[in-house]
Amino acid sequence: MENIIETVDLTKRYSKAVALDSVSIHVRQGEIYGLIGKNGAGKSTLFKTMMGLAPYSSGEIKLFGSKSNKEIEHARQRMGFMMGAHFFPYLSARENLEYFRKLKGIADKAEVDRVLKLVEMDKVKKKFKSFSLGMKQRVSIANALMGYPDIVVLDEPINGLDPQGIADFRRIVQKLNKENKMTFLISSHILGELELMATRFGFIHDGKLIEEIDRETIRNKTEEKVIVKTNDIEKATYVLEQKFPNIEYQVNGDKELVISKMVEKTDEIASLLVSKELKLFKLVAQEISIQEYYLEMITKGGTDHV
Ligand SMILES: Nc1ncnc2c1ncn2[C@@H]1O[C@H](COP(=O)(O)OP(=O)(O)OP(=O)(O)O)[C@@H](O)[C@H]1O
Ligand SMILES: [Mg+2]
């Protein structure tokens, strides 16, 4: 798959502080990319530099494979962007979006109504200043979706949404991703919020992009499993299959057996193998969640885990 957003060693310094430290991010066409990092990690700074709203110190930004500043500017017109909710307080949602429609040069007047319907804000008449945080977020998301951009970049869009709002948001994103082939880049400081939505994750910590990883790969790494090292794998699998006909396992190399799930049967597996005179060099139950995986990664700095 083609990278449609790419940075190469992107670095941004604020006098002394380094907000982005050699970030090389790769967002591929058609994915829902979740950028995860805690407060101050550098998420907003990365998005702002990407969108041309803040200068950077060194490195490179490529959007749709752009090779010049002119091409980058052109590429940015194909991107919808949401960052905070900066709207006119005394205008309604519709009036605000009408203003941005004209500013963005979107000719189709029906766009405002279409995107307001998507976020279920089409019937709300009151002024922006009296909206709840969740309503403001919805208008902000709608604004980013106006004009069918190819890429939608959303900075903490879930912040302030209630559980129903989060579920609606997920549904909208997945539908647009599937039906309109829109690529999404979404940040959050809470991994769980994007866990059900993102197809790939990037983890950012202290300005460094620690890892980019597919959801499926995380799933495999974090799935509950029992890992067994023994002197006779063939005998071990035979014995285990006799006892647990539905067992699912994988053999890594010639000494390690990885049994899916069955963490609660770890003791039983151990005594069964020992009773059949197998030697147990290692037996561990792994029950790591995606959240734990992430926490472990940021504490280790992403260097020596895999
Ligand atoms: N205008 C600024 N001047 C100086 N330092 C800044 C400025 N903006 C951001 N920073 C610093 O850059 C780092 C990254 O900030 P950034 O806002 O990108 O983080 P974030 O991941 O978006 O955090 P949050 O989850 O709180 O939104 C932080 O250490 C922050 O203090
Ligand atoms: Mg931020």
Side-chain angles (χ1 to χ4, degrees), residues 37-45 47-48 83 155-156 187 189:
K38 56 183 194 175
N39 295 138
K43 305 179 297 293
S44 300
T45 305
F47 286 1
K48 276 190 250 176
M83 163 136 194
D155 194 19
E156 306 257 6
S187 75
H189 56 280

Side-chain angles (χ1 to χ4, degrees), residues 115-174:
V115 292
L116 282 174
K117 278 196 174 117
L118 272 180
V119 298
E120 291 175 18
M121 287 291 290
D122 55 309
K123 303 232 161 50
V124 180
K125 297 276 187 291
K126 54 186 180 180
K127 291 183 173 45
F128 187 82
K129 69 177 174 71
S130 53
F131 286 181
S132 68
L133 178 58
M135 290 163 89
K136 289 179 179 170
Q137 289 290 78
R138 283 166 188 260
V139 178
S140 207
I141 293 165
N143 189 29
L145 295 174
M146 208 161 30
Y148 288 98
D150 293 314
I151 308 177
V152 181
V153 180
L154 305 172
D155 194 19
E156 306 257 6
I158 296 164
N159 202 4
L161 297 182
D162 57 22
Q164 183 61 49
I166 296 177
D168 291 344
F169 172 73
R170 187 185 308 134
R171 187 178 42 76
I172 294 167
V173 167
Q174 285 175 329

Side-chain angles (χ1 to χ4, degrees), residues 1-42:
M1 254 192 293
E2 195 192 337
N3 287 326
I4 55 173
I5 299 181
E6 191 180 349
T7 63
V8 186
D9 292 333
L10 191 69
T11 298
K12 169 150 183 86
R13 288 182 206 93
Y14 287 107
S15 56
K16 279 184 196 143
V18 182
L20 295 177
D21 188 354
S22 212
V23 169
S24 297
I25 194 173
H26 308 84
V27 180
R28 301 174 195 143
Q29 185 139 35
E31 64 188 9
I32 302 173
Y33 188 112
L35 181 70
I36 311 292
K38 56 183 194 175
N39 295 138

